[in-house]
Amino acid sequence: MNYKESRVYLDNVAKYGSVLGLDNMRELLGRLGNPQDDLKFIHIGGTNGKGSVLAYLSTILKESGYRVGRYISPTLFSYRERIQINEAYIEKDSLARLTTQIRSCIDEMVKEGLPHPTAFEIETALCFLYFKEEKCDLVTLEVGLGGSTDATNVIQTPVMEVLAAISMDHMGFLGNTLTGIARCKAGIVKPGTTVVSMRQKPEAMEVVEQTCREQGCTLRIADAAAASDVVYGCDSQSFSYGGYDHLEISLAGSYQIANAVLAVEAVRGLTDLGYDIPEDALRRGLKKTVWRGRFTVLQKEPYVIIDGAHNRDGAEVLADSIRRYFPDKKLHYIMGVFRDKEYESIVEITAPYAEDVIAVETPGNPRALPAEQLAEVWKRHIQEVSCEKNIEDAVKISLQKAGKDDVILAFGSLSFLGEIVKALDAAGNEV
């Protein structure tokens, strides 16, 4: 298959949905020669902050001279964005060639009566093949959903597991208690490894500590409360932690301090494991890290910001950022979200800061909550609420309403934020 044909194939495979469990993944990888066994991983789980922490660590390791694979989901701007080496997307030819190889194995599996692998399983196998072929020193691997039964958990060669903030999310898949969800998230921990965890809520922290004891792991806890000299800002933020003074980050969002603290603690753990990460590389990596879609400022006058706040905890930290950065500004919201998210809680938490809201439907996804249904929830909290079927129209209307000192905030499911960026670019080209 060429690139276009491979993309059509992968898009069609999406009909198999999301299936948790490792049996089919192991079968597929076994037929591909188990490429994952020749790689070393930093496996990153949790609920909120996984992608940001992965971005920090990948950039720091790249600045230290390592060849680093990144596997992330979902993506905002390009399908190939999910598989990167030192921030360069997988080449189209490589994606097509490796997808063809994987498809031949899948055809054999189906002929033998085995289940067809899901799109995420295929993409995960693809990343393993590519990173092995490209001789990556380390792979930063983001869990897709949950942990213990996620396709990425087939790996057996992690050097470290990193647990970002654990909170209530995907309850239909993972359970209805924080303890149960934490148990699933901590299921990525392998015996005898180093585990670096953000300081969790008590129920989740107890599960992480117990898991590490059972697996004979070294546990390092990154406590954001131990950070000092914290300076918040939309353009630059800084903090001191772990013996490092005045570490600067370029990512906005008050929660990025905690994510960066977790990354620094992971770096300290990697250094103890023998990895060479000089202080100047740590500083450069933190400063250079880019992670679009997490309180990302797209323009000023008016501010246009996108943020992937798609659950209760995400909404709480978004509200905190609003209070810190824009206490006296008028905020115009654009929101789209999946129907299986805690959208009523997200609305309740963020409503006190909104001047008006445009509800949109996340395009091209069967999980999307209809804009009209989302608008009805918003009407319980504020008066000026409308719906737009077209995201480009929502952006145009917001730009027309906003004064130069106002803020347009688009948030909710990550999958529609790329469309906001495209719409803003198109609006700018019309001026």
Side-chain angles (χ1 to χ4, degrees):
M1 294 182 289
N2 59 30
Y3 176 70
K4 185 176 180 181
E5 291 166 339
S6 66
R7 282 299 317 281
V8 170
Y9 170 71
L10 290 165
D11 288 344
N12 288 338
V13 167
K15 68 185 179 184
Y16 295 101
S18 178
V19 179
L20 296 177
L22 300 180
D23 290 346
N24 223 34
M25 189 68 195
R26 290 192 182 107
E27 179 67 32
L28 175 59
L29 289 170
R31 292 171 186 246
L32 292 167
N34 286 314
Q36 75 281 3
D37 290 346
D38 294 315
L39 296 165
K40 293 180 179 179
F41 297 93
I42 300 172
H43 205 181
I44 302 173
T47 305
N48 293 318
K50 297 191 299 288
S52 297
V53 173
L54 182 148
Y56 284 126
L57 285 173
S58 300
T59 310
I60 291 165
L61 288 165
K62 184 193 77 169
E63 291 296 316
S64 300
Y66 292 99
R67 187 166 175 77
V68 188
R70 286 188 182 190
Y71 182 53
I72 60 174
S73 63
T75 57
L76 299 188
F77 305 106
S78 166
Y79 181 87
R80 295 184 296 124
E81 185 182 351
R82 67 197 62 207
I83 300 174
Q84 305 176 35
I85 296 176
N86 285 1
E87 299 164 40
Y89 296 178
I90 183 173
E91 301 90 346
K92 290 182 178 180
D93 289 348
S94 294
L95 189 146
R97 174 172 48 79
L98 295 174
T99 302
T100 302
Q101 179 183 347
I102 293 169
R103 181 179 182 176
S104 66
C105 291
I106 290 174
D107 290 344
E108 292 174 3
M109 290 173 62
V110 172
K111 283 180 185 177
E112 295 171 20
L114 295 170
H116 196 296
T118 66
F120 187 70
E121 289 170 334
I122 294 169
E123 290 158 1
T124 304
L126 175 60
C127 93
F128 294 155
L129 285 171
Y130 182 63
F131 294 149
K132 177 184 176 181
E133 192 175 83
E134 292 294 320
K135 297 180 173 58
C136 287
D137 299 310
L138 280 166
V139 173
T140 49
L141 184 72
E142 182 183 357
V143 171
L145 194 159
S148 55
T149 55
D150 184 74
T152 63
N153 203 33
V154 73
I155 65 169
Q156 295 298 316
T157 54
V159 299
M160 174 180 285
E161 293 91 5
V162 178
L163 293 172
I166 297 172
S167 61
M168 302 297 286
D169 197 20
H170 295 295
M171 282 83 79
F173 292 97
L174 308 180
N176 293 314
T177 67
L178 186 59
T179 296
I181 290 173
R183 194 170 290 120
C184 182
K185 303 280 188 183
I188 66 172
V189 172
K190 302 296 187 296
T193 54
T194 295
V195 179
V196 184
S197 175
M198 189 174 284
R199 181 162 301 279
Q200 309 288 350
K201 294 172 184 174
E203 309 98 296
M205 198 71 250
E206 184 178 343
V207 171
V208 173
E209 290 171 345
Q210 180 184 352
T211 302
C212 289
R213 285 195 299 270
E214 292 172 351
Q215 298 282 38
C217 296
T218 299
L219 174 61
R220 305 179 69 110
I221 298 175
D223 192 348
S228 60
D229 307 319
V230 178
V231 177
Y232 295 101
C234 254
D235 299 315
S236 179
Q237 307 191 106
S238 62
F239 63 99
S240 299
Y241 177 82
Y244 299 104
D245 294 329
H246 193 66
L247 296 168
E248 291 186 75
I249 59 175
S250 299
L251 297 186
S254 58
Y255 52 87
Q256 288 298 353
I257 299 293
N259 290 334
V261 164
L262 180 56
V264 172
E265 192 61 49
V267 165
R268 296 175 75 199
L270 288 167
T271 301
D272 285 352
L273 290 171
Y275 288 89
D276 183 18
I277 306 173
E279 181 176 339
D280 62 339
L282 168 66
R283 292 182 178 278
R284 287 197 310 273
L286 287 172
K287 184 67 175 173
K288 289 183 178 181
T289 296
V290 175
W291 194 238
R292 295 176 80 186
R294 282 70 172 182
F295 209 85
T296 303
V297 179
L298 301 178
Q299 74 166 50
K300 299 178 181 179
E301 294 188 350
Y303 273 99
V304 179
I305 295 170
I306 54 175
D307 187 82
H310 60 274
N311 55 30
R312 177 186 290 271
D313 276 27
E316 292 280 10
V317 294
L318 174 59
D320 182 69
S321 295
I322 291 169
R323 288 191 295 268
R324 287 184 187 277
Y325 301 148
F326 306 119
D328 302 314
K329 302 280 189 182
K330 288 185 178 179
L331 274 76
H332 310 274
Y333 288 176
I334 302 172
M335 183 181 175
V337 72
F338 290 160
R339 66 173 76 239
D340 57 356
K341 296 296 181 179
E342 302 171 286
Y343 55 87
E344 292 185 342
S345 295
I346 298 170
V347 169
E348 183 178 350
I349 291 164
T350 57
Y353 315 101
E355 185 79 8
D356 51 70
V357 178
I358 299 176
V360 298
E361 184 172 323
T362 302
N365 196 304
R367 292 167 59 199
L369 181 72
E372 295 78 11
Q373 191 173 337
L374 179 59
E376 288 304 312
V377 177
W378 272 108
K379 287 175 183 176
R380 301 174 202 161
H381 299 273
I382 68 172
Q383 290 187 332
E384 194 173 338
V385 180
S386 61
C387 299
E388 286 298 329
K389 292 190 178 297
N390 188 296
I391 289 176
E392 193 167 324
D393 289 341
V395 170
K396 286 180 182 177
I397 292 167
S398 296
L399 288 170
Q400 289 166 0
K401 286 191 295 188
K404 72 173 186 177
D405 293 326
D406 292 356
V407 179
I408 297 169
L409 177 59
F411 66 99
S413 295
L414 285 165
S415 57
F416 92 100
L417 298 183
E419 297 300 316
I420 295 287
V421 176
K422 293 175 186 174
L424 185 63
D425 289 344
N429 291 334
E430 289 180 7
V431 176

